[in-house]
Amino acid sequence: DEIGLIPCPEARYNRSPIVLVENKLGVESWCVKFLLPYVHNKLLLYRQRKQWLNKDELIDITCTLLLLNSDFTTAWNVRKELILSGTLNPLKDLHLGKLALTKFPKSPETWIHRRWVLQQLIQENSLPSLVTKGNLGAAPVERIHRLVQEEMNVCSEAAGRYPSNYNAWSHRIWVLQHLGKLTVKVLLDELSSTKYWVSVHVSDHSGFHYRQFLLKSLIGRTVTDNNVLVQNQMVNEQNPSLQKEEEGAGAEAACADEQSVDLPRRLEEELELCTELIDTYPGHETLWCHSDETLNNAHHSPATSHMAQVMDVDGLNESSSKQGYTQETKRLKRAPMQDSLGPEMEYRFIDKVLSTCRDADQARFATAYRKWLVTFLGQ
Amino acid sequence: MRLYSLSVLYKGDPKVHLLKAAYDVSTFNFFQRSSVQEFMTFTSQLIVERSELGSRASVKEQEYLCHVYVRNDGLAGVVIADNEYPQRVCFTLLDKVLDEFSRQVSKIDWPSGSPATISYAALDGYLSKFQNPRDADPMTRVQAELDETKIILVRR
């Protein structure tokens, strides 16, 4: 489940340099300068059609090469060809990639190849012949779900092995977009499962950026669902006879989704998390940036204005009299969520930090944050 | 944020020697672990050698921060952490550990002690408990006397 290089500059004993301990594979460093050029050369000769290698040999050689240097694109490409010709099970490459990432957690080529493999697997999923191939044997939805979970684990591991591992976190985002379809459930699950991780990696900018992506996606999701709701309501107005039918799947589903995402509450929680972490761990710029971004999202979120729109339409439907309408508009003008994420709270927080902190960096960040608030919010 | 090692040493004249240590190298690549541990033992010793009696310091070595406290009576403690782990909690930990150690292990044994001869078993427990600074030390902010002590950040 892990590979590594053993620092061992000279071969002292006449024995194999490969060490297997507790399911972890180690290679003594002295042999690398012999092994790597040898396999590298062999592969190049094959590619240049000067020397033939059969499928098994190719699999072995590329595997060795990639465990020594996982950014060797040609080796990954050879494996792509093997997968496309049906000789190599794509799941093997997911495993190989996972292993390579224990030693090279950033390796761009490994992540790129991984996405290619996942795309192959998704495409396979839509073909009816999948069931007989029996790669995983489970129903397609279940299969995708398991793939997504596994990818989340791999990303998390890699993120832990290298600080601010941009490649790992971008891959994570890609998986949610292409495999997870950015469902509300997936987004919320990810928010809760990464909360502890970011709390113990407070200067990992990529980790917090991921949470921003999750929140923005949730906002986008809520807008889409609200749009559906609004459209349905507008259709109802024009065609009262259709109203009963419209109260079917579309509007209800949108309603259900909207209800399960209390967006203002989520944003508030995120800001609370930031505040708590800033207080506990002074002097981490990442946390202040995250605060900026969250407040930015909250303020500019089209969801807040769209929600108001929905409420407005509701008002129109519920009471036909003009008096009723006026009452409804008064209600939504108070816009409760904007108050709770208001700048006053942030100013008070900054003042508290400045008056109690002793860390020079922390003071600098707090002052900068205040300047940003003033210019940005114009208050 | 992570703690990697916690050691108690004695700053004798002229030599510094290790009395007891605990390590957590589980986050390192499997095959690097023993050499990382050696590095930490060596660095801890070196830092105590270079520190004055009655001083506290935080020294940056590669991507680690080594927090050292050398008491006036020669007993010293070193915590090696990453750069996210809050400094104040480290010094709280060192105070606590050295205090307890000095009560459990008699002073006579310090100049000649070694990990094999010293019987003090609490280090592993402390290292593990303090991995999450919030669980371990809720009183982190109330450190008035600590802030009066000079803390030097040495960058190498």
Side-chain angles (χ1 to χ4, degrees):
Chain A
D1 53 11
E2 192 183 318
I3 56 164
L5 198 63
I6 305 172
C8 181
E10 282 160 30
R12 269 172 282 160
Y13 310 104
N14 188 13
R15 60 150 193 227
S16 165
I18 309 294
V19 174
L20 185 64
V21 178
E22 290 177 37
N23 206 26
K24 299 174 203 308
L25 184 68
V27 172
E28 289 180 4
S29 57
W30 63 264
C31 79
V32 176
K33 62 175 179 281
F34 301 111
L35 186 58
L36 187 54
Y38 171 71
V39 278
H40 185 216
N41 205 37
K42 271 204 123 166
L43 191 67
L44 285 183
L45 287 175
Y46 164 76
R47 266 308 217 216
Q48 291 161 357
R49 299 187 199 288
K50 287 179 187 165
Q51 199 176 84
W52 177 252
L53 288 169
N54 70 38
K55 308 270 172 132
D56 288 322
E57 287 172 322
L58 273 177
I59 292 177
D60 279 342
I61 288 193
T62 50
C63 185
T64 311
L65 266 170
L66 291 165
L67 290 176
L68 291 172
N69 173 14
S70 67
D71 278 322
F72 191 33
T73 320
T74 308
W76 285 122
N77 287 343
V78 167
R79 290 183 82 90
K80 284 187 180 76
E81 286 168 11
L82 290 168
I83 290 176
L84 287 172
S85 72
T87 330
L88 179 60
N89 184 344
L91 294 176
K92 287 233 158 76
D93 268 25
L94 286 183
H95 184 77
L96 180 61
K98 186 176 176 181
L99 209 53
L101 289 169
T102 60
K103 192 166 153 227
F104 308 103
K106 276 181 76 175
S107 166
E109 290 302 320
T110 310
W111 293 110
I112 289 170
H113 182 79
R114 208 173 177 81
R115 288 192 274 279
W116 182 89
V117 170
L118 289 168
Q119 264 165 340
Q120 293 303 304
L121 288 171
I122 308 174
Q123 277 166 26
E124 258 184 40
N125 220 25
S126 48
L127 295 173
S129 60
L130 169 76
V131 180
T132 48
K133 257 193 180 171
N135 269 330
L136 280 178
V141 171
E142 173 66 25
R143 188 177 193 248
I144 298 280
H145 178 76
R146 266 193 265 164
L147 277 176
V148 170
Q149 281 316 300
E150 173 65 2
E151 289 309 297
M152 298 296 110
N153 287 339
V154 171
C155 290
S156 200
E157 272 264 324
R161 286 181 194 270
Y162 191 88
S164 265
N165 190 340
Y166 177 75
N167 296 339
W169 291 103
S170 328
H171 181 82
R172 200 163 179 159
I173 290 176
W174 183 93
V175 168
L176 285 195
Q177 288 167 329
H178 293 82
L179 271 80
K181 302 292 178 211
L182 291 180
T183 62
V184 170
K185 179 176 187 308
V186 142
L187 292 170
L188 290 177
D189 280 346
E190 279 295 286
L191 261 183
S192 73
S193 66
T194 51
K195 189 171 180 180
Y196 179 74
W197 198 96
V198 297
S199 308
V200 291
H201 292 86
V202 289
S203 56
D204 194 311
H205 204 90
S206 301
F208 282 100
H209 173 259
Y210 181 67
R211 291 182 76 80
Q212 285 303 326
F213 160 75
L214 293 171
L215 289 168
K216 281 198 183 109
S217 304
L218 275 171
I219 292 173
R221 202 69 192 179
T222 319
V223 170
T224 320
D225 293 343
N226 282 349
N227 275 336
V228 172
L229 193 61
V230 169
Q231 277 164 25
N232 284 339
Q233 298 278 27
M234 281 161 68
V235 171
N236 286 348
E237 272 176 63
Q238 287 157 18
N239 280 310
S241 56
L242 285 176
Q243 195 160 8
K244 280 183 189 156
E245 280 175 49
E246 285 297 328
E247 273 165 20
E252 261 191 68
C255 243
D257 255 357
E258 184 201 326
Q259 274 158 20
S260 65
V261 185
D262 183 0
L263 203 54
R265 181 75 203 130
R266 294 282 161 201
L267 289 167
E268 211 176 287
E269 277 171 6
E270 198 63 20
L271 216 51
E272 271 169 25
L273 175 67
C274 261
T275 311
E276 202 192 313
L277 290 174
I278 288 175
D279 241 356
T280 320
Y281 307 117
H284 288 283
E285 189 160 16
T286 309
L287 297 171
W288 291 97
C289 290
H290 193 60
S291 249
D292 285 353
E293 266 306 294
T294 308
L295 209 59
N296 200 3
N297 276 327
H299 201 77
H300 284 327
S301 145
T304 54
S305 54
H306 271 263
M307 277 182 173
Q309 241 182 295
V310 172
M311 284 152 74
D312 196 34
V313 175
D314 266 350
L316 280 175
N317 275 347
E318 281 174 306
S319 50
S320 45
S321 69
K322 278 190 178 168
Q323 213 172 19
Y325 176 84
T326 322
Q327 280 172 354
E328 289 307 314
T329 53
K330 272 189 187 156
R331 181 166 65 88
L332 62 86
K333 275 195 164 75
R334 258 180 278 128
M337 57 206 115
Q338 288 208 303
D339 284 342
S340 65
L341 289 167
E344 307 83 41
M345 209 179 75
E346 290 307 286
Y347 281 125
R348 268 183 271 130
F349 172 62
I350 295 173
D351 285 334
K352 177 178 161 262
V353 167
L354 283 172
S355 61
T356 57
C357 81
R358 287 171 186 82
D359 188 296
D361 284 333
Q362 183 83 329
R364 187 164 50 89
F365 295 143
T367 317
Y369 186 56
R370 167 190 256 135
K371 274 196 197 143
W372 177 82
L373 273 179
V374 169
T375 13
F376 169 66
L377 297 173
Q379 300 177 27
Chain B
M1 54 186 67
R2 199 101 197 139
L3 290 181
Y4 301 118
S5 82
L6 175 58
S7 9
V8 179
L9 306 96
Y10 180 68
K11 188 176 172 74
D13 190 11
K15 278 207 73 184
V16 167
H17 49 262
L18 181 66
L19 296 177
K20 210 71 174 171
Y23 303 94
D24 183 352
V25 288
S26 57
T27 50
F28 290 94
N29 208 299
F30 185 80
F31 295 101
Q32 286 180 309
R33 288 175 196 174
S34 56
S35 55
V36 165
Q37 191 161 313
E38 273 172 34
F39 159 78
M40 290 189 180
T41 312
F42 173 71
T43 305
S44 300
Q45 197 147 325
L46 189 64
I47 284 183
V48 173
E49 268 171 38
R50 294 192 183 169
S51 302
E52 307 268 303
L53 287 176
S55 72
R56 286 186 178 87
S58 297
V59 182
K60 190 165 161 62
E61 178 69 48
Q62 295 172 37
E63 61 271 26
Y64 312 111
L65 267 178
C66 308
H67 307 278
V68 58
Y69 172 32
V70 183
R71 301 191 340 177
N72 283 312
D73 59 6
L75 196 63
V78 180
V79 167
I80 301 188
D82 70 0
N83 52 23
E84 280 183 350
Y85 197 94
Q87 185 190 47
R88 274 184 290 197
V89 180
C90 289
F91 286 110
T92 308
L93 174 59
L94 284 172
D95 273 353
K96 197 172 176 156
V97 166
L98 293 186
D99 190 47
E100 194 181 272
F101 186 92
S102 60
R103 281 184 278 117
Q104 283 184 21
V105 179
S106 106
K107 212 167 173 175
I108 313 170
D109 296 328
W110 299 354
S112 55
S114 75
T117 61
I118 300 279
S119 58
Y120 176 69
L123 285 182
D124 281 300
Y126 278 122
L127 191 61
S128 149
K129 184 170 170 224
F130 273 74
Q131 283 298 355
N132 187 339
R134 280 193 285 184
D135 289 341
D137 188 37
M139 296 290 284
T140 301
R141 288 166 230 173
V142 185
Q143 290 295 322
E145 73 266 44
L146 201 64
D147 294 301
E148 284 155 26
T149 317
K150 194 168 131 201
I151 296 179
I152 324 146
L153 189 67
V154 177
R155 288 182 189 274
R156 276 203 252 162

